[in-house]
Amino acid sequence: MKFAAAASALALSMLGLWTPAAQACSKPVRVAMMAWPPYFYAGDLGSAVGGDVEIMQAIFKEAGCKLEIGEEVPRKRRLAMFMAGELDMIPGSSDTPERREYAWFSKPYRNETVSFFTLPAKLERYRDVRGFEDVLNRRITLLSLNSGWFGPAYEQYIVRLREAKLSSTFEGFAQGLVMLSKERGELIMADHATLLTEAARLKMDLTPLPHNISHAPVHMMFNKKTVPEADVSLLDAAAERLEARGVLKQIRRNYGMQ
């Protein structure tokens, strides 16, 4: 009987359907629902859907680990919960030296492009805007998310933009687009795919400027207080196997991710 059980386990392992319990993560990983289409948002039935969700689910299943998705919370509160140890992971995160003080980072699982957008009628006026220095020098009002990492150039200029009263922030993408339509800002800055998805949902015309602000990899960010580094390594190994089989590439292709 022991031999038969071992043979059965070996067969399942070869099919990729079974992971030995000794290799599973030490605990379920808690993450909060997001309002971040097309990556992570609540579908029509209330369950989490999107490109990041499918990638995470595939990685966790491959690793034999459990992903627990809780209720949606605002972005700033989500980070506060993470810092307090109430959340174990935040997806779609940039790896920075400051964050490495309190977080582990998975290997990158997709790239994120951040762009400036404006209303179509204003495109010719701002077509040649290449970055934050142009925004500051030309005194162009800018809308951006109220938290997050958008690259070193943003960190360099955001304080000066605020001091010049050229910066306003929003919590949700729909709120930001409404602010743009009401001319609370001339430009809006955010993830390229997300703003286009949200504008399409709102049936709003939106035009990206030709020059991207940043194009960089994003990661799953794990809480050092609650997640052992060994669990992150286990998930990274699972992601590598899926990349080798083309599984994650296909998910990214399905959602138009680069």
Side-chain angles (χ1 to χ4, degrees), residues 76-135:
K76 284 189 173 181
R77 183 183 165 204
R78 189 162 60 236
L79 181 58
M81 291 174 66
F82 182 87
M83 298 299 291
E86 298 171 11
L87 291 176
D88 300 314
M89 187 262 283
I90 298 177
S93 298
S94 298
D95 183 350
T96 69
E98 295 79 11
R99 289 176 173 179
R100 281 190 171 269
E101 294 295 320
Y102 55 81
W104 313 114
F105 288 88
S106 73
K107 293 183 178 179
Y109 62 88
R110 65 170 171 83
N111 289 321
E112 179 180 70
T113 299
V114 176
S115 302
F116 286 146
F117 292 80
T118 191
L119 300 175
K122 299 180 180 182
L123 177 60
E124 289 307 312
R125 190 185 313 172
Y126 301 120
R127 180 184 292 277
D128 59 341
V129 172
R130 289 180 171 269
F132 298 103
E133 184 175 2
D134 289 340
V135 172

Side-chain angles (χ1 to χ4, degrees), residues 25-48:
C25 292
S26 60
K27 51 167 278 185
V29 173
R30 302 165 297 172
V31 63
M33 178 73 79
M34 297 183 174
W36 192 17
Y39 307 113
F40 195 148
Y41 60 103
D44 294 338
L45 299 179
S47 58

Side-chain angles (χ1 to χ4, degrees), residues 33-67:
M33 178 73 79
M34 297 183 174
W36 192 17
Y39 307 113
F40 195 148
Y41 60 103
D44 294 338
L45 299 179
S47 58
V49 296
D52 278 18
V53 173
E54 289 195 22
I55 287 174
M56 289 189 298
Q57 288 174 339
I59 292 172
F60 274 74
K61 181 179 179 181
E62 174 73 16
C65 300
K66 184 177 181 181
L67 180 67

